[in-house]
Amino acid sequence: MTARVDGPDKVTGRARYACERPAERAAYVWAVPAAIARGTIRSVDASQALALPGVLAVITPDNAPRLPGTGDQELALFQSREVAYRGQFVAAAVAQTLETARDAASRVVVSYEPAPHDVTLTAGHPGLYKPEFVNPRQQTDTATGDFDAAYAAAAVRVDATYTTPAEHNHPMEPHATIAEWHGDTLTLHDATQGPSRAAGQVAAVLGLGPGQVRVIAEHVGGGFGAKGMPRANVILAAMAARITGRPVKCAVTRAQMAAVTGHRAPSIQRVRLGAGPDGRLTAVGHDVIGQTSTLKEFTEQSAVATRHMYAAPHRRTTHRVVRLDVPTPSWMRAPGECPGMFALESAMDELAQRCGVDPVELRLRNEPAVHPETGQPFSSRNLAACLREGAARFGWAGRDPAPGVRRAGRWLGGTGVAASTYPARAAASQARASVSAAGRYQVRIAAADIGTGARTALTAVAAEALGVTAADVELRIGDSALPPAMIAGGSMGTASWSWAVIKACRALREAIRARDGAVPPGGLTVHADTAPDVAALSGHARYTFGAQFAEVRVDADTGEVRVPRLLGVFAAGRIVAPAQARSQLIGGMTMGLSMALHEESTMDPQFGDYLHHDLAGYHIAAHADVLGLEAVCLAEDEPELGPAGAKGIGEVGIVGTAAAIANAVHHATGIRVRDLPIRLDKLLRRNP
Ligand code: MOS
């Protein structure tokens, strides 16, 4: 087992997160959130705020510098007087201390011309439309064969609608930035998943050249997607630093995060499965309804996993979205696959019950030989092996399928299974490797470690490629001044970065060998770029798969659900750092448990705001909720996705967990909860 290379720094507090860095003469900025959900800013009166001693500036739509790049309306800070959602930053106060900035912000008087708002997603919303594509740029709809006819003719049918609520990532470290200008160049210490991409995006907004913005993210306290792109805090910090001529610290508060750092859009998903009496699918349909904002289109791609999970000749997937007066939805761990697989894998359980086929066996019976929509061969597909291994480890054999019949005292017991999947991809990245005359190796890449263990994994990968020990390698990441790299997102970090790192390290080793090991006094450096390698990837369908098994007990009197056992078995290519991989997978499963039982951002239709502004209101799984939790990885060979042979593991762990738990709850109680989370009240009313 490899210890985390940054573990000692983190547990002793030496590791500094973005806003913790000392900055000489730092000023602080505090944002003023919009107090209406839609309308126009009539006027901003900053006089009371400016009268406070220590206030340096109040930034408003009246005096904010014009931003040249307004393509991303969420980053076009103070460029318009229109309010698109409640909580949107509409002004800000900059002061010598945090307390003064906060006080000043509360004294900024904004008067509005409110307009009626619409924040409620409904299945029949007249504003629903077909977006051009779904996140990130995938097909909106797909159709193969004749779904309607095949579904109508099917011997066994399931037609069920599942809903998932809005959810928020809430990483432990809120979004935070320090901005400092040196002439026309900007340095940002930022809590980001991707220094290279963030630098490019900020430069575009500010109208700067690519070399004029440097983003440093040495340690990041979680992201899950929320830090995959710069948010308003980054632009606000840059603007305030420009105006005051001082370094400016800007930390989004937990309360503000509900509005300005993205959320997982709620979903309404209709799944229709048509099958023969033996459970073999003939028709698969998945229709998704979701929301986006009026500022920006983001469509959660919840039906995409349905396109490759199971064989069936007739199939259809669709996505529709409506623009509401809500904050722009965004990335949250396994966007699309996570809510989508709750629906599909719940429906598969309903089908298993209707056919009288064991739910593990049902999935095995519907394994496709090739991608069922595109006909592409899979690079590797080991869902069946995950299901079999999981069933054996979990003790699935001999399970009585009858729901609601196992009772021990007040507790009803049940077990459930669901499949997991996530795309396995890599994106072009660059890396530099060098050796000094003294034999010290340095490897540089603008990767980010958001708590995943990326630093540890890449150090191990580099050492292996160089044929030295990890102690001989100094790895530098988390800085856009290093060779540009993919973000820590899309479960693509390890595959993308290790590809570039191994390529650079192998080339360096070759260069050393070519000189018979004689390193010149100035050392040797090589640079690698995987753009051509990634572009040359074959047309295989590539996914990580997994199978999750849950045991639950449900208090028959109170509806309390406990999850004594969760087992996930995954096939994710070669596991380059087993201890860190296990943490990613059990972390994902914990987040899936949290999704199943707790997480829910409730929209207040009257005021147009997500109600839960703290972790007291936004419930997440706590330690006491997590009982037996086990993640196992099967040995799998992924021949093409870079020399490390790794597929992604960051997101697959959350996919399917909620369905496994909901299926187990049904097995325990006979109650099918199709709307997450599985709250007590949903188990206390009867449902057929
Ligand atoms: Mo992940 S939602 O791609 O950071």
Side-chain angles (χ1 to χ4, degrees):
M1 191 186 294
T2 320
R4 283 206 184 213
V5 295
D6 47 11
D9 282 350
K10 286 190 172 177
V11 297
T12 55
R14 276 197 306 269
R16 285 216 169 96
Y17 293 78
C19 245
E20 296 178 330
R21 301 197 75 86
E24 288 267 317
R25 293 179 66 247
Y28 298 81
V29 62
W30 196 285
V32 178
I36 59 167
R38 182 169 159 248
T40 309
I41 297 166
R42 209 187 286 139
S43 63
V44 182
D45 178 359
S47 56
Q48 289 178 51
L50 287 166
L52 275 182
V55 172
L56 301 169
V58 173
I59 315 173
T60 74
D62 299 319
N63 66 8
R66 294 298 96 191
L67 297 174
T70 55
D72 183 339
Q73 283 290 303
E74 284 279 3
L75 299 181
L77 210 57
F78 316 139
Q79 303 298 293
S80 155
R81 306 183 80 82
E82 299 301 311
V83 173
Y85 58 86
R86 195 181 182 98
Q88 185 180 12
F89 290 172
V90 292
V94 198
Q96 286 172 0
T97 68
L98 183 67
E99 293 77 7
T100 308
R102 179 183 189 165
D103 191 3
S106 74
R107 292 170 196 246
V108 174
V109 181
V110 183
S111 76
Y112 301 95
E113 188 72 59
H117 62 257
D118 178 4
V119 294
T120 308
L121 177 65
T122 57
H125 198 290
L128 284 165
Y129 69 96
K130 178 183 170 184
E132 206 181 316
F133 54 82
V134 298
N135 176 64
R137 277 196 94 83
Q138 306 187 76
Q139 269 182 281
T140 304
D141 295 354
T142 58
T144 309
D146 184 344
F147 170 77
D148 289 322
Y151 180 73
V156 186
R157 286 191 292 264
V158 169
D159 179 352
T161 297
Y162 305 87
T163 61
T164 59
E167 296 165 346
H168 282 81
N169 277 304
H170 281 310
M172 285 307 295
E173 179 204 23
H175 293 60
T177 312
I178 305 176
E180 188 167 7
W181 289 88
H182 300 278
D184 281 332
T185 64
L186 173 65
T187 301
L188 298 165
H189 287 274
D190 187 38
T192 178
Q193 292 173 226
S196 305
R197 192 184 285 183
Q201 287 176 323
V202 171
V205 173
L206 301 179
L208 299 173
Q212 286 175 277
V213 178
R214 179 176 178 192
V215 175
I216 300 167
E218 203 183 346
H219 296 285
V220 181
F224 312 109
K227 293 174 184 164
M229 64 183 84
R231 306 287 178 184
N233 58 291
V234 183
I235 305 302
L236 179 54
M239 201 182 257
R242 186 53 133 183
I243 289 167
T244 60
R246 297 164 63 143
V248 168
K249 294 194 176 193
C250 178
V252 179
T253 67
R254 184 66 62 190
Q256 292 169 346
M257 283 173 75
V260 298
T261 65
H263 64 278
R264 192 199 294 285
S267 72
I268 302 169
Q269 307 180 52
R270 183 181 186 194
V271 178
R272 282 174 290 174
L273 302 177
D278 60 354
R280 273 178 223 283
L281 289 162
T282 51
V284 173
H286 193 166
D287 301 300
V288 178
I289 287 168
Q291 74 185 29
T292 187
S293 73
T294 60
L295 283 184
K296 205 172 151 177
E297 187 184 87
F298 177 94
T299 310
E300 181 103 6
Q301 69 272 34
S302 298
V304 295
T306 302
R307 296 171 182 168
H308 71 263
M309 283 305 294
Y310 302 114
H314 305 284
R315 39 207 314 137
R316 184 163 74 211
T317 63
T318 67
H319 297 86
R320 297 295 177 268
V321 70
V322 56
R323 292 186 184 276
L324 298 176
D325 302 309
V326 298
T328 307
S330 181
W331 300 324
M332 180 163 176
R333 208 170 198 168
E337 283 79 9
C338 177
M341 286 287 278
F342 165 66
L344 178 66
E345 292 300 293
S346 294
M348 286 295 281
D349 201 64
E350 301 205 39
L351 180 66
Q353 207 195 9
R354 214 156 282 183
C355 297
V357 176
D358 176 82
V360 171
E361 171 60 25
L362 179 73
R363 288 171 173 84
L364 294 173
R365 269 183 207 177
N366 286 292
E367 266 287 286
V370 293
H371 189 297
E373 296 200 358
T374 66
Q376 292 165 296
F378 290 99
S379 64
S380 47
R381 176 179 169 118
N382 283 300
L383 173 58
C386 293
L387 286 162
R388 290 198 178 100
E389 177 73 17
R393 285 176 182 257
F394 192 77
W396 186 263
R399 171 183 183 263
D400 174 5
V405 297
R406 286 152 299 276
R407 187 163 180 157
R410 277 165 46 187
W411 295 98
L412 293 161
T415 53
V417 64
S420 304
T421 188
Y422 196 77
R425 299 170 293 206
S429 295
Q430 300 178 32
R432 198 153 56 237
S434 55
V435 62
S436 70
R440 287 286 303 160
Y441 292 87
Q442 201 178 59
V443 176
R444 284 164 252 185
I445 179 167
D449 191 330
I450 59 172
T452 57
R455 213 177 239 110
T456 309
L458 290 182
T459 303
V461 161
E464 188 186 315
L466 289 166
V468 300
T469 67
D472 296 322
V473 179
E474 186 205 337
L475 176 76
R476 285 197 51 213
I477 62 169
D479 185 342
S480 67
L482 301 171
M486 172 60 187
I487 68 165
S491 297
M492 297 160 79
T494 302
S496 307
W497 303 328
S498 63
W499 199 333
V501 165
I502 292 172
K503 192 174 179 181
C505 289
R506 285 183 182 165
L508 179 63
R509 214 174 162 180
E510 210 39 59
I512 297 169
R513 199 174 295 145
R515 293 164 170 272
D516 292 325
V519 176
L524 278 175
T525 296
V526 300
H527 189 98
D529 184 348
T530 63
D533 310 274
V534 171
L537 270 173
S538 72
H540 278 108
R542 287 186 195 80
Y543 302 92
T544 297
F545 289 95
Q548 302 209 25
F549 293 78
E551 179 185 337
V552 304
R553 49 174 202 264
V554 181
D555 187 311
D557 296 328
T558 67
E560 178 187 352
V561 178
R562 304 295 288 161
V563 183
R565 255 190 332 145
L566 263 184
L567 166 69
V569 178
F570 302 94
R574 183 177 153 241
I575 303 301
V576 303
Q580 286 69 34
R582 176 183 170 276
S583 293
Q584 281 296 290
L585 293 166
I586 64 173
M589 291 165 69
T590 302
M591 212 160 154
L593 163 72
S594 199
M595 173 196 191
L597 301 182
H598 304 297
E599 293 193 36
E600 176 169 33
S601 289
T602 311
M603 175 53 77
D604 172 356
Q606 189 181 350
F607 291 100
D609 196 7
Y610 283 115
L611 286 172
H612 312 296
H613 283 194
D614 54 39
L615 294 177
Y618 187 82
H619 287 184
I620 57 167
H623 281 92
D625 295 304
V626 181
L627 303 167
L629 187 57
E630 200 188 340
V632 177
C633 287
L634 300 182
E636 185 182 58
D637 191 29
E638 169 55 48
E640 290 181 332
L641 203 61
K647 288 180 177 176
I649 49 168
E651 289 163 281
V652 70
I654 196 178
V655 179
T657 323
I661 292 170
N663 295 342
V665 166
H666 176 264
H667 188 228
T669 63
I671 298 173
R672 178 70 65 181
V673 179
R674 299 190 182 93
D675 53 330
L676 291 181
I678 306 171
R679 288 195 318 258
L680 315 186
D681 55 300
K682 296 175 188 176
L683 296 174
L684 294 176
R685 57 174 150 75
R686 289 281 102 192
N687 116 344

